[in-house]
């Protein structure tokens, strides 16, 4: 029996993830759909809200039930999947033992987001915050610019059907990758800071020495009696 596939679809508001996730779910038989945004539907939604960890557990519980029930495809979409910490919390708490993950992040241009925002009747200023978030390590980034939901669904399904590499998710290797990326970035920043400080210090010493030499050269020589 083939391993179940957990299909993650992330993205910010109005990138099309909810509609596309449903299209992908309907494309496959023996499939299940988890709309994570309904598992933790609160106002306002903030990734900084510590109560979101309760939402993480809700999502992990539902996805676990689907996977353990033997569905071949489990489609899981949520805005919180754009946050590495939230994603890692959810995946860590999934109880299924043997399955594959294929992950997608939907994105679009600022112009497209603005157009969709206005078409939805948005009156407040549109936020481009979610578009600035990088894709999770190893996931496919899919632009929805100029595409219908059916076209995006077809693009995603082609990748799913051709995906040969198994990413068995229980030890959460991608979570470790994300953490290592953060640590590496922090280390590089720290190294650059130290290097800049050292360079400034060295430059200051050189400047001091140069000034001292000039002062010595300009000073009048003492007369010898």
């Amino acid at each position: 029996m083939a391993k179940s596939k957990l299909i993650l679809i992330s993205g910010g508001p109005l990138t099309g993830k909810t509609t596309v996730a449903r299209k992908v779910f309907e494309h496959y038989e023996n499939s299940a759909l988890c709309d994570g945004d309904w598992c933790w539907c609160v106002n306002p939604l903030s990734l900084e809200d510590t109560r979101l960890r309760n939402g993480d557990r809700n999502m992990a519980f539902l996805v676990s039930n689907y996977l353990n029930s033997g569905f071949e495809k489990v489609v899981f979409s949520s805005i919180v999947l754009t946050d590495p910490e939230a994603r890692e919390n959810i995946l860590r708490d999934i109880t299924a033992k043997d399955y594959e993950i294929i992950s997608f992040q939907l994105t679009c241009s600022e112009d497209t987001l603005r157009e969709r925002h206005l078409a939805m009747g948005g009156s407040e200023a549109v936020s481009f915050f979610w578009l600035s978030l990088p894709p999770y390590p190893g996931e496919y980034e899919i632009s929805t610019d100029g595409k219908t939901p059916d076209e995006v669904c077809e693009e995603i399904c082609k990748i799913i059907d051709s995906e040969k590499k198994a990413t068995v998710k229980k030890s959460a290797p991608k979570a470790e990758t994300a953490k290592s990326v953060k640590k590496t970035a922090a280390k590089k920043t720290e190294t650059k800071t130290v290097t800049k400080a050292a360079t400034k210090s060295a430059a200051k010493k050189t400047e001091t020495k140069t000034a001292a030499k000039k002062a010595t050269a300009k000073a009048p020589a003492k007369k010898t009696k």
Side-chain angles (χ1 to χ4, degrees):
M1 183 177 175
K3 294 177 182 177
S4 296
K5 287 187 177 181
L6 176 57
I7 301 161
L8 304 180
I9 300 180
S10 70
L14 301 177
T15 55
K17 67 183 181 305
T18 301
T19 303
V20 170
R22 178 162 289 280
K23 292 281 185 182
V24 173
F25 155 68
E26 292 172 349
H27 176 81
Y28 293 107
E29 293 184 357
N30 194 22
S31 62
L33 173 64
C34 173
D35 185 339
D37 293 345
W38 280 107
C39 288
W40 187 248
C41 186
V42 297
N43 185 24
L45 172 65
S46 170
L47 297 180
E48 304 302 321
D49 190 339
T50 56
R51 293 174 295 178
L52 181 58
R53 302 293 74 81
N54 295 324
D56 297 342
R57 286 188 284 273
N58 291 345
M59 298 175 209
F61 178 77
L62 183 54
V63 171
S64 295
N65 280 343
Y66 284 146
L67 290 171
N68 287 326
S69 296
F71 288 99
E72 292 179 5
K73 303 285 192 306
V74 177
V75 183
F76 174 29
S77 71
S78 179
I79 194 172
V80 301
L81 290 173
T82 59
D83 179 58
E85 182 183 359
R87 180 186 293 229
E88 290 157 18
N89 287 335
I90 295 167
L91 296 179
R92 185 183 59 245
D93 289 341
I94 292 176
T95 59
K97 302 292 183 181
D98 193 21
Y99 59 97
E100 301 172 7
I101 282 187
I102 304 176
S103 180
F104 301 89
Q105 184 187 76
L106 303 190
T107 186
C108 66
S109 67
E110 291 186 0
D111 287 341
T112 298
L113 187 66
R114 190 180 293 108
E115 290 172 5
R116 292 174 180 172
H117 179 73
L118 293 174
M120 292 288 289
S123 55
E124 69 280 0
V126 62
S127 171
F128 301 119
F129 165 75
W130 302 96
L131 296 182
S132 66
L133 299 178
Y136 193 78
E139 82 178 345
Y140 295 94
E141 186 173 14
I142 306 290
S143 172
T144 61
D145 285 337
K147 301 173 186 174
T148 66
D150 286 324
E151 289 171 335
V152 178
C153 171
E154 183 180 357
E155 186 176 347
I156 287 176
C157 291
K158 282 182 179 178
I159 294 173
I160 293 171
D161 295 338
S162 64
E163 182 72 49
K164 301 297 182 185
K165 185 169 137 185
T167 309
V168 180
K169 197 71 174 182
K170 194 53 199 169
S171 58
K174 286 188 179 180
E176 293 174 4
T177 302
K179 289 178 181 177
S180 64
V181 168
K182 289 180 182 177
K183 287 182 180 178
T184 302
K187 192 172 183 181
K188 285 182 179 179
T189 302
E190 184 180 346
T191 303
K192 285 181 180 179
T193 303
V194 173
T195 303
K196 285 182 180 178
T199 302
K200 286 183 180 178
S201 178
K204 192 171 183 180
K205 286 181 180 179
T206 303
E207 186 180 341
T208 302
K209 287 182 180 179
T210 302
K213 285 182 180 179
K214 287 181 179 179
T216 303
K218 289 181 179 180
K222 291 183 178 181
K223 293 182 179 180
T224 305
K225 292 182 179 180

